[in-house]
Structures are given as C-alpha cells and as structure tokens.
Amino acid sequence: VIEIVRNNVAEKVYFPMLPIREVLVGSERDAFLNELPTGQPKGKLDTVTKEAMPMIIRMKNEFKFRKGIFRFYPVLGAVAKHTELWKTLAFYTTLLLNALILFGYRNYDV
C-alpha cells in the first residue's frame, strides 16, 4: 500500500501480493534492497527498473517449477522447502558421527 497525493487528497493505492513472491529468498530480497541508492529518487527508479525484471522472471520460472514438479513429487517438495532444516540436521549428524569415531577408537592401541 502506498499513498499518492492527487488533487490535494491523499489516496491509497493497493498492490496485489502475487503468489510468486513466496519463492523470493530473504537474502536475495535484502541484497536487492541494499543495492538501491538512497539519494535521488531517479536513481532509485532506474535501479528498480533495471534489476526488477530479471528477478521477476527468475521468480516466475521457479514458481512454475515448484508448482509443476512438487505437485507430482511431494517428498521432493518437502525436502526442497525445508533446506535450512536439512542443513542443520546434516551438521549435527556429522558432529555425532565424528564424536562416535573419536571416542570409539580411544580404546584401541595402535
């Protein structure tokens, strides 16, 4: 929602929340916002128009991919949707295996 002053009256303009926004990664969004110049509005507009279209195309393609593939393979969708969980589980599993190896060979003399 933004407010625009037209004829000395502030009007609210509503923008729809498209479903493709769900595929936008937080780090990509933050990088896009950090690249925006803070000085002139023209510079901000130029950056948005130059950088937004490739991002929108990428989001549309990923949305189509997720919608098509993950509908037929829900397990693959669950794995891909929770990548941070899988990274954390893999890290702790690696720590556990290393601890087992470290303390398991302690009893053997070489």
Side-chain angles (χ1 to χ4, degrees), residues 7-66:
N7 297 331
N8 293 328
V9 177
E11 297 179 13
K12 288 186 178 181
V13 178
Y14 295 93
F15 293 97
M17 298 294 275
L18 300 175
I20 63 169
R21 69 171 162 57
E22 295 172 5
V23 299
L24 184 63
V25 180
S27 60
E28 187 177 3
R29 183 185 63 229
D30 292 341
F32 178 74
L33 292 175
N34 288 334
E35 290 175 5
L36 288 176
T38 57
Q40 298 289 335
K42 183 182 182 327
K44 192 179 287 188
L45 183 62
D46 290 341
T47 304
V48 166
T49 54
K50 184 176 72 174
E51 300 292 330
M53 281 313 294
M55 185 184 299
I56 291 171
I57 291 169
R58 207 167 42 250
M59 287 176 5
K60 282 182 180 179
N61 290 336
E62 190 171 337
F63 182 74
K64 286 178 189 175
F65 179 76
R66 285 186 182 184

Side-chain angles (χ1 to χ4, degrees), residues 82-96:
H82 303 289
T83 54
E84 287 299 319
L85 172 68
W86 294 111
K87 283 185 205 177
T88 305
L89 286 174
F91 175 74
Y92 286 122
T93 303
T94 303
L95 283 179
L96 177 66

Side-chain angles (χ1 to χ4, degrees), residues 66 69-71 73-86:
R66 285 186 182 184
I69 297 293
F70 297 161
R71 182 183 313 149
Y73 302 104
V75 174
L76 179 65
V79 170
K81 198 174 196 179
H82 303 289
T83 54
E84 287 299 319
L85 172 68
W86 294 111

